[in-house]
Amino acid sequence: MRTSFRKRSLIVLVMVMLLPFTPSGGFGGTGVAWADSVYLASSDNGSIVLYGDFSGDYLFFDWEISYGNPFDLVLNVYRVVDAEEVPLEPGELEYVDNGDTGSIGSYHWAPGHYRLEMLLLAEGVTGDPEMLVYEFDIPDRQPVTVHLFGASGPLQGLMAMDEREEVTAPVSIRQIADEAFEYVFHVFPDRCFSLFSDEYDFPNFSIDRGLCPTDGDEFVVQVSHSPYLLEIWNFYFTVDEEAGVLRGWLGVSLPDGFNYDTVIKIFGEDDPDGESCEGFFLDFTCAMPDKPSHVQVFALDGGDEWPTNVMFRLDDVHLDITVKDLDSRFGWVKQEIEFRVIGEEDGFALYRLVPGFASDVRHVIPDGSGSYTVGTWETQQFDFIGPDFNFPSNFVYLQLVDKEGNFYANSVILSVVDNMTDEIAMLEYTGMNPLSGDFSHGDPVFRDDDKSAGGRAGTVEWQVPDYGEYEQLAGYDLYYANGDNDILGGVARVYDPIADPEVFTHKLSNVPPDAKKLAVVPIVYSFGNFKYAPTFHVELEDRIAARLDHLYVNGDEVFPQNGSSNYEIIVPLDAIEAAIEVVSEGGVVYVDDVHVPDGTRTIGLSGDETVVTILVDTPDTEWADVYTLRILRMRTAELADDVLFGAIVKAGDEYEYRYVTQGMTAGKLMDQFVKDSDVSIEILGGNGQTVPNDLEVPTGATVRLSRGAEFQIITLRWLSAHLREELDIGESQPITIVHVVNFVVKKRNDVTGDGHFDKEDVRVLLKEMD
């Protein structure tokens, strides 16, 4: 049976073993409880036989001594701390000596590593005395997480009780959904436990159906005020589309006191009453409604049907999944799983990954990203040969849980992948017989998802043929090969590909440049023997996506923003249309859903902004890339803020900067403006061209401020022109000190823009003299 679905698993003290629950009073001076002990070790000559009864921090040793001579037993127990043996003090352990039998132990050992020594001393016996040395570990409590669904708030007084009836409270509580909370308990790793609370009923009423840390360190539990609660420990569903039925198998435990008959019903979105299914838990069949909604188990009580907590949703869930092995050695697997939810994930509360090869069940709480990486599981050896091929362990179930704690029926079965890129040649299939035959795998294909030239990463797919009446597919070995089918190196072994019995798919990443084909060796199993079928090949064609190579608007090339698929251009205020030209080598171009064979189309403009959608389709592929072009018509806006020197004055419908001083460069003028970080500034000459920063501002120049499609034009007034106008100085006359003095005495106008006339204004005026 699969380890991950066992109700109880075996666990270790030193040798991995779980003992039955021992009632109080079995030891402690009343004698040896032989029925509860298991054999642990014996001395070299067999005179001392040691037994033990242990669980968590509870441990008692028993022994039997068969010795022909009178003896004295010397018994020492040490705790090993940093390689030093610290003897336990008298009184720390309970000790009973009955001569040929005895016991020693404690109900509560401290966690750590220990050493037990038993020595037989006998008079007249020469040589080394007979001795038994036994080392053991006492585990510490470990955190386990319970995802509890169905309670409107945190449960007050929720407790966990283990096999020895020891009770612990949660150390932390966290809400994960509207009626779902995460509780963390510290429990012993070899003790199953059950939950209890005065507020709700739980499906695990007895220790025999408790939560066992050997099954993982996270659990999903539903609570209810209803007595009709069952415990789910395994399930499997499959849809027979040809027959139009849902087939199911439920591993369900009936709690103590559940004495009701049950019925399984399937519901559709338009069928609130549901229809009964045929069969029972371990094998049932339901006729599929038009819009299947869910399957639920009902208890029959008093002539009525009462819903239990066992419900499975039948929604379609689409996931993009990649299984990785981070160990490149063949035969060694360090599994990691990446998955991405396609569509919304609002309805999910948990993703649950159940490996068949380990008891380490993983749970992921959605964070809204839709993309997750889970793993790695502990590195371990893998091979086809197992205790029972009919119950394989080379898979991982990916299960989904909704916000009410219900599972989705369509769990995804993921095959274990063994990365074997360390292999430089094909494996030697010694111990396997060849399987003869001409097997058709349909039309094997490789769908390259890497759109660039020379890069290949994608999915291989082929039809799984009938390998024989008694042959069962066990896996595929994948290799890279050149154009002549010569093997270049290993890729992976994919075990037991049972996710879809008819179609095999596998993702390849970073296909080597010299790999032209994928060589595939099918491995099958029948009557206890493995066989390898003839190798077949899949062409690894490099697909290259057509792209938008160049984009022109009104003859001007437009470039993508920060390497994205978004383009933007600003056109004049009075523009009423835009001529668009799309250049795409090998692509089929659509502009606003209109096919444009020559790549050109003229678009009418309305309002301040026009958005154009450009689609470039790559022929004979599913690729269609979408680009967005924003055409912004310029619009006036007031962008000027306070200036460092001078002032902005509205003159009619325009704004004027006062004053440009003699010899001021374009860079110096730009520095006078205080602007937001997203406002750009240019000094434009009379010809409309930008004036370089190191050149003097020419007559007729203007200042243009812009932010996106918004702009503001500011005219310039020179201080020298202001002086000539105020003092009636002719254009041919030079400005002298006399003119400056007259302005200071008679006019005293502010020329720096600070609102008053002072020595700074005089300093500026003196610089205007010719």
Side-chain angles (χ1 to χ4, degrees):
M1 193 169 184
R2 298 184 179 102
T3 305
S4 56
F5 294 132
R6 288 178 182 163
K7 291 307 300 152
R8 315 236 333 233
S9 298
L10 301 181
I11 122 169
V12 193
L13 184 44
V14 172
M15 308 175 307
V16 179
M17 198 165 292
L18 176 63
L19 300 180
F21 167 62
T22 303
S24 301
F27 292 91
T30 61
V32 180
W34 301 107
D36 296 319
S37 297
V38 295
Y39 170 81
L40 295 179
S42 58
S43 58
D44 290 343
N45 294 330
S47 299
I48 308 173
V49 180
L50 183 68
Y51 302 88
D53 178 21
F54 45 84
S55 170
D57 60 349
Y58 169 91
L59 169 61
F60 275 86
F61 291 107
D62 329 316
W63 57 83
E64 295 175 338
I65 299 176
S66 302
Y67 202 65
N69 299 313
F71 63 87
D72 289 321
L73 173 63
V74 178
L75 189 148
N76 295 303
V77 181
Y78 303 93
R79 186 177 184 193
V80 182
V81 181
D82 296 330
E84 287 192 21
E85 295 183 346
V86 180
L88 270 63
E89 297 295 330
E92 290 189 64
L93 302 177
E94 297 189 26
Y95 178 51
V96 176
D97 185 0
N98 296 323
D100 293 340
T101 62
S103 69
I104 191 169
S106 173
Y107 290 94
H108 300 288
W109 294 69
H113 185 68
Y114 292 83
R115 175 184 174 93
L116 169 70
E117 291 183 356
M118 302 180 70
L119 186 70
L120 296 183
L121 300 179
E123 293 184 7
V125 177
T126 59
D128 294 333
E130 189 161 352
M131 174 182 259
L132 184 149
V133 177
Y134 185 76
E135 296 192 12
F136 58 97
D137 292 287
I138 299 296
D140 200 353
R141 292 180 179 267
Q142 303 295 325
V144 297
T145 301
V146 176
H147 304 284
L148 195 146
F149 292 83
S152 58
L155 293 188
Q156 302 300 318
L158 177 65
M159 305 294 282
M161 183 174 68
D162 67 19
E163 299 174 1
R164 292 197 55 79
E165 300 184 359
E166 294 186 8
V167 175
T168 58
V171 297
S172 68
I173 304 173
R174 179 168 70 110
Q175 187 167 8
I176 60 175
D178 290 342
E179 293 190 355
F181 292 83
E182 176 188 274
Y183 298 82
V184 177
F185 295 88
H186 285 172
V187 300
F188 287 110
D190 59 345
R191 288 186 189 172
C192 299
F193 64 95
S194 61
L195 302 173
F196 66 89
S197 166
D198 294 334
E199 296 184 62
Y200 287 91
D201 292 320
F202 293 82
N204 52 311
F205 291 115
S206 69
I207 288 297
D208 288 340
R209 286 179 289 275
L211 306 174
C212 300
T214 50
D215 291 334
D217 57 9
E218 297 191 46
F219 302 92
V220 175
V221 176
Q222 293 172 309
V223 298
S224 174
H225 291 301
S226 166
Y228 309 111
L229 291 175
L230 305 174
E231 183 187 3
I232 308 166
W233 50 274
N234 196 357
F235 63 91
Y236 179 75
F237 291 90
T238 183
V239 175
D240 186 337
E241 295 183 359
E242 185 175 341
V245 298
L246 174 76
R247 304 186 192 280
W249 180 92
L250 295 181
V252 174
S253 295
L254 305 180
D256 296 340
F258 191 97
N259 300 316
Y260 312 104
D261 290 332
T262 57
V263 62
I264 302 173
K265 302 182 72 173
I266 188 168
F267 295 81
E269 294 180 10
D270 302 325
D271 182 15
D273 296 328
E275 297 292 336
S276 297
C277 302
E278 297 181 0
F280 195 58
F281 289 130
L282 297 182
D283 184 15
F284 62 91
T285 303
C286 312
M288 290 286 282
D290 290 337
K291 298 178 181 178
S293 170
H294 63 279
V295 170
Q296 189 162 12
V297 177
F298 289 80
L300 303 178
D301 185 12
D304 293 323
E305 296 178 351
W306 301 91
T308 72
N309 60 307
V310 179
M311 188 187 89
F312 294 88
R313 296 180 56 159
L314 299 176
D315 312 51
D316 285 332
V317 179
H318 301 286
L319 303 171
D320 179 29
I321 307 173
T322 302
V323 181
K324 295 182 177 180
D325 173 19
L326 304 188
D327 191 319
S328 58
R329 299 173 297 169
F330 173 67
W332 295 86
V333 172
K334 189 175 185 179
Q335 210 78 134
E336 180 180 83
I337 295 173
E338 297 177 355
F339 65 95
R340 178 175 61 88
V341 180
I342 301 174
E344 298 294 330
E345 65 169 350
D346 292 343
F348 304 141
L350 284 175
Y351 303 106
R352 186 169 187 257
L353 290 102
V354 184
F357 51 81
S359 61
D360 187 5
V361 178
R362 305 288 179 89
H363 292 77
V364 177
I365 298 175
D367 59 13
S369 67
S371 297
Y372 306 94
T373 299
V374 183
T376 58
W377 279 272
E378 184 178 353
T379 302
Q380 55 191 287
Q381 285 187 283
F382 253 83
D383 198 353
F384 281 124
I385 308 301
D388 189 348
F389 187 74
N390 293 316
F391 293 95
S393 61
N394 37 35
F395 66 89
V396 178
Y397 272 146
L398 173 53
Q399 300 171 339
L400 298 94
V401 182
D402 72 7
K403 293 185 177 180
E404 286 73 47
N406 301 309
F407 285 99
Y408 286 74
N410 56 344
S411 299
V412 182
I413 305 175
L414 307 174
S415 301
V416 166
V417 174
D418 183 0
N419 176 1
M420 56 180 190
T421 52
D422 279 0
E423 300 297 318
I424 60 174
M426 184 174 285
L427 298 174
E428 296 183 3
Y429 294 98
T430 56
M432 293 189 187
N433 296 320
L435 177 67
S436 60
D438 184 13
F439 304 104
S440 173
H441 295 84
D443 295 317
V445 297
F446 168 63
R447 292 190 300 273
D448 183 14
D449 295 327
D450 188 321
K451 298 181 178 182
S452 64
R456 285 172 295 170
T459 304
V460 289
E461 177 181 304
W462 56 79
Q463 298 292 320
V464 177
D466 182 358
Y467 288 106
E469 182 179 359
Y470 303 105
E471 278 70 27
Q472 181 178 350
L473 178 62
Y476 287 110
D477 286 352
L478 312 179
Y479 304 88
Y480 286 126
N482 62 19
D484 296 325
N485 295 338
D486 298 325
I487 299 299
L488 302 176
V491 179
R493 169 172 285 180
V494 182
Y495 282 91
D496 194 20
I498 58 176
D500 187 333
E502 297 181 354
V503 179
F504 172 82
T505 62
H506 181 72
K507 288 187 177 182
L508 301 176
S509 61
N510 301 321
V511 177
D514 52 349
K516 304 303 179 185
K517 298 179 182 180
L518 184 74
V520 183
V521 179
I523 310 295
V524 299
Y525 171 87
S526 64
F527 300 111
N529 297 309
F530 288 89
K531 304 175 184 179
Y532 60 95
T535 303
F536 67 96
H537 297 83
V538 183
E539 297 283 346
L540 300 178
E541 180 182 356
D542 183 15
R543 297 196 302 178
I544 303 172
R547 300 180 181 277
L548 194 161
D549 299 315
H550 299 281
L551 176 62
Y552 300 90
V553 176
N554 298 330
D556 296 325
E557 184 165 9
V558 188
F559 298 95
Q561 296 179 313
N562 301 320
S564 69
S565 59
N566 298 318
Y567 294 74
E568 184 176 290
I569 188 173
I570 299 173
V571 298
L573 181 64
D574 57 354
I576 60 174
E577 62 181 20
I580 299 173
E581 180 184 359
V582 180
V583 178
S584 174
E585 183 178 352
V588 178
V589 177
Y590 296 82
V591 177
D592 278 348
D593 297 327
V594 176
H595 178 213
V596 286
D598 61 355
T600 62
R601 186 183 179 193
T602 299
I603 298 291
L605 305 179
S606 61
D608 294 333
E609 176 180 331
T610 300
V611 178
V612 179
T613 300
I614 301 170
L615 184 144
V616 177
D617 182 78
T618 303
D620 302 322
T621 73
E622 70 281 7
W623 292 338
D625 292 334
V626 178
Y627 304 85
T628 300
L629 168 63
R630 296 176 67 232
I631 303 176
L632 306 175
R633 283 203 292 199
M634 297 187 70
R635 57 187 182 274
T636 59
E638 294 190 12
L639 303 177
D641 204 339
D642 296 336
V643 292
L644 295 173
F645 176 86
I648 297 291
V649 178
K650 191 166 186 180
D653 293 333
E654 297 181 342
Y655 287 85
E656 182 180 81
Y657 171 75
R658 300 175 180 177
Y659 298 98
V660 178
T661 58
Q662 183 170 285
M664 180 178 285
T665 64
K668 183 66 175 177
L669 177 59
M670 290 172 61
D671 290 341
Q672 307 313 309
F673 288 82
V674 178
K675 57 186 183 298
D676 294 334
S677 59
D678 58 347
V679 174
S680 60
I681 179 171
E682 291 179 286
I683 308 300
L684 303 179
N687 58 359
Q689 301 299 311
T690 301
V691 179
N693 288 351
D694 58 343
L695 295 185
E696 186 175 344
V697 178
T699 302
T702 58
V703 176
R704 182 171 72 182
L705 304 177
S706 61
R707 179 174 56 203
E710 298 177 334
F711 72 98
Q712 182 178 9
I713 299 297
I714 300 174
T715 60
L716 301 174
R717 182 164 176 77
W718 269 253
L719 181 55
S720 59
H722 177 61
L723 287 176
R724 292 180 186 280
E725 181 180 303
E726 290 291 316
L727 299 176
D728 196 21
I729 304 172
E731 289 294 331
S732 61
Q733 291 180 266
I735 297 175
T736 65
I737 185 63
V738 175
H739 297 121
V740 173
V741 170
N742 283 338
F743 186 90
V744 170
V745 172
K746 297 178 181 180
K747 302 295 182 179
R748 300 185 66 81
N749 293 338
D750 172 31
V751 296
T752 61
D754 61 3
H756 55 270
F757 186 85
D758 55 18
K759 62 181 180 179
E760 183 62 25
D761 296 85
V762 176
R763 185 185 66 80
V764 171
L765 289 167
L766 290 173
K767 290 183 177 180
E768 293 300 310
M769 295 187 301
D770 295 323

